[in-house]
Amino acid sequence: MKGAQEAGHEVEKIFINDKQIGYCRACYACRHTHKCFQKDDMTEILDKMIEADVLVLASPVYFYAIAGQVKTMLDRTLPRWTELKNKEFYYILTAAEDSEAIMQRSLECFRGFADCFAGIEEKGVILAHGLYEKGEAINSPYEQQAYEMGKNV
């Protein structure tokens, strides 16, 4: 985020743990209205995702998959998924696991999501492994890698 800001980009970080996002109920009412019947924070988040030129999707990895909150957010893009196009995507994953190969499962969740949209370009990936406690990435090589990635947006 800091690197992208220093490069002159407007950046907003959304902490989805601080948001109310209900699960997709697969009612498909949104197929006709392009709006979810649920009145929660996802409407605002989806507006911001559509307006953005660049999306950085980040998640901790628990039991070899992206966090449930992140998957819920991705699923809730359904009402306007056709508008999520022509964007650059970056992915950041953190895990206690020491193996990058194991983290590929989670990365494929993000890539599968992006495959649904036209004109998507994957621009960067950080697989920050060996990090168990909150804050361990600070002052690590991963922090520098993220900074450099942000500067090159």
Side-chain angles (χ1 to χ4, degrees):
M1 186 171 172
K2 183 178 178 183
Q5 288 171 323
E6 288 179 10
H9 300 288
E10 183 180 324
V11 179
E12 181 178 355
K13 185 187 290 188
I14 298 172
F15 291 96
I16 61 172
N17 284 348
D18 296 339
K19 304 293 183 180
Q20 295 295 317
I21 304 172
Y23 295 98
C24 179
R25 310 280 174 94
C27 68
Y28 297 110
C30 64
R31 190 172 17 193
H32 306 291
T33 65
H34 301 288
K35 295 179 184 175
C36 184
F37 77 91
Q38 298 181 70
K39 305 300 180 212
D40 59 14
D41 294 324
M42 191 58 206
T43 302
E44 178 184 359
I45 293 168
L46 185 52
D47 286 344
K48 290 177 181 192
M49 290 175 74
I50 290 167
E51 291 172 15
D53 296 320
V54 175
L55 293 175
V56 178
L57 300 177
S59 177
V61 175
Y62 305 131
F63 297 101
Y64 310 114
I66 60 173
Q69 299 93 319
V70 177
K71 178 65 168 106
T72 296
M73 181 203 65
L74 299 180
D75 289 345
R76 286 288 305 284
T77 63
L78 182 62
R80 297 176 62 196
W81 73 273
T82 59
E83 297 176 65
L84 280 167
K85 59 186 175 187
N86 304 321
K87 299 190 182 307
E88 294 180 356
F89 273 65
Y90 293 82
Y91 310 118
I92 301 173
L93 295 159
T94 62
E97 177 64 51
D98 276 332
S99 168
E100 279 190 19
I102 298 276
M103 294 178 75
Q104 291 296 322
R105 294 176 186 167
S106 298
L107 179 57
E108 288 307 311
C109 289
F110 282 155
R111 286 178 170 160
F113 173 72
D115 281 347
C116 296
F117 314 117
I120 298 302
E121 187 175 356
E122 181 178 307
K123 299 293 281 187
V125 174
I126 297 174
L127 300 178
H129 54 85
L131 304 175
Y132 190 79
E133 297 291 334
K134 183 177 180 178
E136 281 185 307
I138 297 170
N139 298 319
S140 76
Y142 301 119
E143 183 179 45
Q144 184 62 33
Q145 188 180 355
Y147 173 76
E148 293 298 327
M149 196 164 69
K151 281 185 10 181
N152 293 316
V153 169

mmCIF file of all heavy atoms in Angstrom, residues 92-94 97-98 100 103 126-131 136-137 139-148:
data_model
loop_
_atom_site.group_PDB
_atom_site.id
_atom_site.type_symbol
_atom_site.label_atom_id
_atom_site.label_comp_id
_atom_site.label_asym_id
_atom_site.label_seq_id
_atom_site.Cartn_x
_atom_site.Cartn_y
_atom_site.Cartn_z
ATOM 1 N N ILE A 92 -1.778 -11.559 -2.332
ATOM 2 C CA ILE A 92 -0.882 -11.709 -1.188
ATOM 3 C C ILE A 92 -1.497 -12.736 -0.249
ATOM 4 O O ILE A 92 -2.647 -12.592 0.174
ATOM 5 C CB ILE A 92 -0.673 -10.370 -0.445
ATOM 6 C CG1 ILE A 92 -0.094 -9.314 -1.393
ATOM 7 C CG2 ILE A 92 0.226 -10.584 0.776
ATOM 8 C CD1 ILE A 92 -0.002 -7.924 -0.800
ATOM 9 N N LEU A 93 -0.738 -13.761 0.050
ATOM 10 C CA LEU A 93 -1.185 -14.815 0.955
ATOM 11 C C LEU A 93 -0.139 -14.996 2.043
ATOM 12 O O LEU A 93 1.066 -14.968 1.767
ATOM 13 C CB LEU A 93 -1.367 -16.126 0.193
ATOM 14 C CG LEU A 93 -2.483 -16.100 -0.850
ATOM 15 C CD1 LEU A 93 -2.284 -17.181 -1.888
ATOM 16 C CD2 LEU A 93 -3.827 -16.261 -0.160
ATOM 17 N N THR A 94 -0.603 -15.171 3.268
ATOM 18 C CA THR A 94 0.305 -15.447 4.379
ATOM 19 C C THR A 94 -0.096 -16.769 5.020
ATOM 20 O O THR A 94 -1.280 -17.096 5.081
ATOM 21 C CB THR A 94 0.254 -14.338 5.450
ATOM 22 O OG1 THR A 94 -1.064 -14.272 5.989
ATOM 23 C CG2 THR A 94 0.658 -12.990 4.870
ATOM 24 N N GLU A 97 2.520 -22.280 7.267
ATOM 25 C CA GLU A 97 3.146 -23.342 6.477
ATOM 26 C C GLU A 97 4.460 -22.849 5.863
ATOM 27 O O GLU A 97 4.536 -21.719 5.398
ATOM 28 C CB GLU A 97 2.171 -23.774 5.378
ATOM 29 C CG GLU A 97 2.682 -24.802 4.434
ATOM 30 C CD GLU A 97 2.967 -26.126 5.094
ATOM 31 O OE1 GLU A 97 2.088 -26.650 5.793
ATOM 32 O OE2 GLU A 97 4.087 -26.635 4.901
ATOM 33 N N ASP A 98 5.461 -23.691 5.851
ATOM 34 C CA ASP A 98 6.753 -23.308 5.280
ATOM 35 C C ASP A 98 6.866 -23.573 3.786
ATOM 36 O O ASP A 98 7.822 -23.154 3.167
ATOM 37 C CB ASP A 98 7.898 -24.037 5.997
ATOM 38 C CG ASP A 98 8.312 -23.318 7.268
ATOM 39 O OD1 ASP A 98 8.153 -22.089 7.341
ATOM 40 O OD2 ASP A 98 8.800 -23.990 8.176
ATOM 41 N N GLU A 100 5.843 -23.131 -0.060
ATOM 42 C CA GLU A 100 5.107 -22.361 -1.055
ATOM 43 C C GLU A 100 4.214 -23.270 -1.891
ATOM 44 O O GLU A 100 3.143 -22.872 -2.310
ATOM 45 C CB GLU A 100 6.068 -21.608 -1.980
ATOM 46 C CG GLU A 100 6.595 -20.335 -1.396
ATOM 47 C CD GLU A 100 7.337 -19.498 -2.427
ATOM 48 O OE1 GLU A 100 7.167 -19.702 -3.644
ATOM 49 O OE2 GLU A 100 8.096 -18.619 -1.991
ATOM 50 N N MET A 103 0.863 -23.604 -0.528
ATOM 51 C CA MET A 103 0.088 -22.371 -0.633
ATOM 52 C C MET A 103 -0.534 -22.195 -2.020
ATOM 53 O O MET A 103 -1.431 -21.373 -2.200
ATOM 54 C CB MET A 103 0.952 -21.168 -0.282
ATOM 55 C CG MET A 103 1.393 -21.171 1.176
ATOM 56 S SD MET A 103 2.454 -19.781 1.561
ATOM 57 C CE MET A 103 1.254 -18.458 1.611
ATOM 58 N N ILE A 126 2.574 -12.655 -3.901
ATOM 59 C CA ILE A 126 3.458 -12.846 -2.750
ATOM 60 C C ILE A 126 2.899 -14.000 -1.935
ATOM 61 O O ILE A 126 1.743 -13.954 -1.506
ATOM 62 C CB ILE A 126 3.562 -11.579 -1.877
ATOM 63 C CG1 ILE A 126 4.174 -10.437 -2.679
ATOM 64 C CG2 ILE A 126 4.386 -11.875 -0.616
ATOM 65 C CD1 ILE A 126 4.187 -9.111 -1.945
ATOM 66 N N LEU A 127 3.706 -15.026 -1.766
ATOM 67 C CA LEU A 127 3.354 -16.170 -0.924
ATOM 68 C C LEU A 127 4.241 -16.095 0.312
ATOM 69 O O LEU A 127 5.364 -16.596 0.318
ATOM 70 C CB LEU A 127 3.568 -17.483 -1.681
ATOM 71 C CG LEU A 127 2.762 -17.653 -2.966
ATOM 72 C CD1 LEU A 127 3.104 -18.972 -3.641
ATOM 73 C CD2 LEU A 127 1.271 -17.553 -2.700
ATOM 74 N N ALA A 128 3.750 -15.435 1.319
ATOM 75 C CA ALA A 128 4.513 -15.185 2.551
ATOM 76 C C ALA A 128 4.323 -16.365 3.498
ATOM 77 O O ALA A 128 3.361 -16.413 4.248
ATOM 78 C CB ALA A 128 4.064 -13.873 3.184
ATOM 79 N N HIS A 129 5.233 -17.290 3.439
ATOM 80 C CA HIS A 129 5.099 -18.504 4.246
ATOM 81 C C HIS A 129 6.004 -18.445 5.475
ATOM 82 O O HIS A 129 6.906 -17.624 5.563
ATOM 83 C CB HIS A 129 5.406 -19.745 3.393
ATOM 84 C CG HIS A 129 6.718 -19.690 2.699
ATOM 85 N ND1 HIS A 129 7.894 -20.074 3.282
ATOM 86 C CD2 HIS A 129 7.042 -19.259 1.464
ATOM 87 C CE1 HIS A 129 8.878 -19.909 2.442
ATOM 88 N NE2 HIS A 129 8.394 -19.402 1.334
ATOM 89 N N GLY A 130 5.710 -19.304 6.424
ATOM 90 C CA GLY A 130 6.485 -19.336 7.665
ATOM 91 C C GLY A 130 6.110 -18.240 8.647
ATOM 92 O O GLY A 130 6.869 -17.925 9.556
ATOM 93 N N LEU A 131 4.939 -17.660 8.481
ATOM 94 C CA LEU A 131 4.469 -16.583 9.360
ATOM 95 C C LEU A 131 3.262 -17.085 10.137
ATOM 96 O O LEU A 131 2.217 -17.356 9.554
ATOM 97 C CB LEU A 131 4.078 -15.353 8.542
ATOM 98 C CG LEU A 131 5.152 -14.774 7.629
ATOM 99 C CD1 LEU A 131 4.574 -13.645 6.790
ATOM 100 C CD2 LEU A 131 6.341 -14.296 8.430
ATOM 101 N N GLU A 136 4.086 -10.731 12.131
ATOM 102 C CA GLU A 136 5.394 -11.303 11.790
ATOM 103 C C GLU A 136 5.932 -10.851 10.431
ATOM 104 O O GLU A 136 7.136 -10.901 10.208
ATOM 105 C CB GLU A 136 5.341 -12.835 11.818
ATOM 106 C CG GLU A 136 5.401 -13.418 13.202
ATOM 107 C CD GLU A 136 5.462 -14.932 13.181
ATOM 108 O OE1 GLU A 136 4.596 -15.562 12.539
ATOM 109 O OE2 GLU A 136 6.377 -15.476 13.831
ATOM 110 N N ALA A 137 5.063 -10.397 9.550
ATOM 111 C CA ALA A 137 5.522 -9.950 8.230
ATOM 112 C C ALA A 137 6.219 -8.595 8.305
ATOM 113 O O ALA A 137 6.996 -8.245 7.407
ATOM 114 C CB ALA A 137 4.359 -9.883 7.254
ATOM 115 N N ASN A 139 8.797 -5.897 8.839
ATOM 116 C CA ASN A 139 10.265 -5.928 8.763
ATOM 117 C C ASN A 139 10.812 -7.251 8.235
ATOM 118 O O ASN A 139 11.962 -7.577 8.472
ATOM 119 C CB ASN A 139 10.905 -5.585 10.114
ATOM 120 C CG ASN A 139 10.556 -4.188 10.574
ATOM 121 O OD1 ASN A 139 10.539 -3.257 9.778
ATOM 122 N ND2 ASN A 139 10.242 -4.043 11.844
ATOM 123 N N SER A 140 9.992 -7.991 7.536
ATOM 124 C CA SER A 140 10.449 -9.232 6.906
ATOM 125 C C SER A 140 10.740 -8.953 5.429
ATOM 126 O O SER A 140 10.350 -7.904 4.901
ATOM 127 C CB SER A 140 9.368 -10.311 7.011
ATOM 128 O OG SER A 140 8.327 -10.053 6.080
ATOM 129 N N PRO A 141 11.405 -9.863 4.750
ATOM 130 C CA PRO A 141 11.596 -9.692 3.296
ATOM 131 C C PRO A 141 10.274 -9.567 2.544
ATOM 132 O O PRO A 141 10.215 -8.924 1.504
ATOM 133 C CB PRO A 141 12.346 -10.961 2.888
ATOM 134 C CG PRO A 141 13.016 -11.445 4.129
ATOM 135 C CD PRO A 141 12.105 -11.042 5.257
ATOM 136 N N TYR A 142 9.200 -10.151 3.075
ATOM 137 C CA TYR A 142 7.891 -10.059 2.417
ATOM 138 C C TYR A 142 7.371 -8.626 2.432
ATOM 139 O O TYR A 142 6.726 -8.190 1.482
ATOM 140 C CB TYR A 142 6.872 -10.985 3.075
ATOM 141 C CG TYR A 142 7.283 -12.427 3.041
ATOM 142 C CD1 TYR A 142 7.470 -13.143 4.217
ATOM 143 C CD2 TYR A 142 7.491 -13.093 1.836
ATOM 144 C CE1 TYR A 142 7.843 -14.477 4.195
ATOM 145 C CE2 TYR A 142 7.867 -14.422 1.799
ATOM 146 C CZ TYR A 142 8.046 -15.112 2.976
ATOM 147 O OH TYR A 142 8.414 -16.425 2.953
ATOM 148 N N GLU A 143 7.633 -7.903 3.503
ATOM 149 C CA GLU A 143 7.191 -6.516 3.581
ATOM 150 C C GLU A 143 7.877 -5.699 2.487
ATOM 151 O O GLU A 143 7.237 -4.898 1.799
ATOM 152 C CB GLU A 143 7.471 -5.924 4.956
ATOM 153 C CG GLU A 143 6.966 -4.503 5.092
ATOM 154 C CD GLU A 143 7.227 -3.911 6.458
ATOM 155 O OE1 GLU A 143 8.348 -4.056 6.990
ATOM 156 O OE2 GLU A 143 6.290 -3.291 7.000
ATOM 157 N N GLN A 144 9.162 -5.904 2.317
ATOM 158 C CA GLN A 144 9.905 -5.199 1.269
ATOM 159 C C GLN A 144 9.401 -5.602 -0.117
ATOM 160 O O GLN A 144 9.254 -4.769 -1.001
ATOM 161 C CB GLN A 144 11.408 -5.469 1.384
ATOM 162 C CG GLN A 144 12.250 -4.691 0.390
ATOM 163 C CD GLN A 144 12.157 -3.183 0.558
ATOM 164 O OE1 GLN A 144 12.002 -2.668 1.666
ATOM 165 N NE2 GLN A 144 12.245 -2.449 -0.553
ATOM 166 N N GLN A 145 9.113 -6.883 -0.301
ATOM 167 C CA GLN A 145 8.595 -7.381 -1.571
ATOM 168 C C GLN A 145 7.251 -6.713 -1.892
ATOM 169 O O GLN A 145 7.007 -6.287 -3.026
ATOM 170 C CB GLN A 145 8.443 -8.892 -1.510
ATOM 171 C CG GLN A 145 8.093 -9.559 -2.794
ATOM 172 C CD GLN A 145 7.962 -11.077 -2.632
ATOM 173 O OE1 GLN A 145 8.226 -11.644 -1.583
ATOM 174 N NE2 GLN A 145 7.539 -11.734 -3.692
ATOM 175 N N ALA A 146 6.392 -6.590 -0.892
ATOM 176 C CA ALA A 146 5.092 -5.931 -1.090
ATOM 177 C C ALA A 146 5.275 -4.459 -1.409
ATOM 178 O O ALA A 146 4.581 -3.909 -2.271
ATOM 179 C CB ALA A 146 4.228 -6.118 0.156
ATOM 180 N N TYR A 147 6.200 -3.816 -0.728
ATOM 181 C CA TYR A 147 6.478 -2.397 -0.986
ATOM 182 C C TYR A 147 6.918 -2.192 -2.439
ATOM 183 O O TYR A 147 6.416 -1.311 -3.134
ATOM 184 C CB TYR A 147 7.543 -1.899 -0.005
ATOM 185 C CG TYR A 147 8.026 -0.511 -0.288
ATOM 186 C CD1 TYR A 147 7.250 0.592 0.037
ATOM 187 C CD2 TYR A 147 9.264 -0.278 -0.890
ATOM 188 C CE1 TYR A 147 7.695 1.883 -0.230
ATOM 189 C CE2 TYR A 147 9.715 0.980 -1.151
ATOM 190 C CZ TYR A 147 8.924 2.068 -0.823
ATOM 191 O OH TYR A 147 9.355 3.350 -1.102
ATOM 192 N N GLU A 148 7.830 -3.020 -2.885
ATOM 193 C CA GLU A 148 8.336 -2.913 -4.268
ATOM 194 C C GLU A 148 7.217 -3.211 -5.272
ATOM 195 O O GLU A 148 7.124 -2.554 -6.306
ATOM 196 C CB GLU A 148 9.511 -3.856 -4.492
ATOM 197 C CG GLU A 148 10.759 -3.495 -3.694
ATOM 198 C CD GLU A 148 11.332 -2.136 -4.046
ATOM 199 O OE1 GLU A 148 11.240 -1.707 -5.222
ATOM 200 O OE2 GLU A 148 11.885 -1.468 -3.131
#
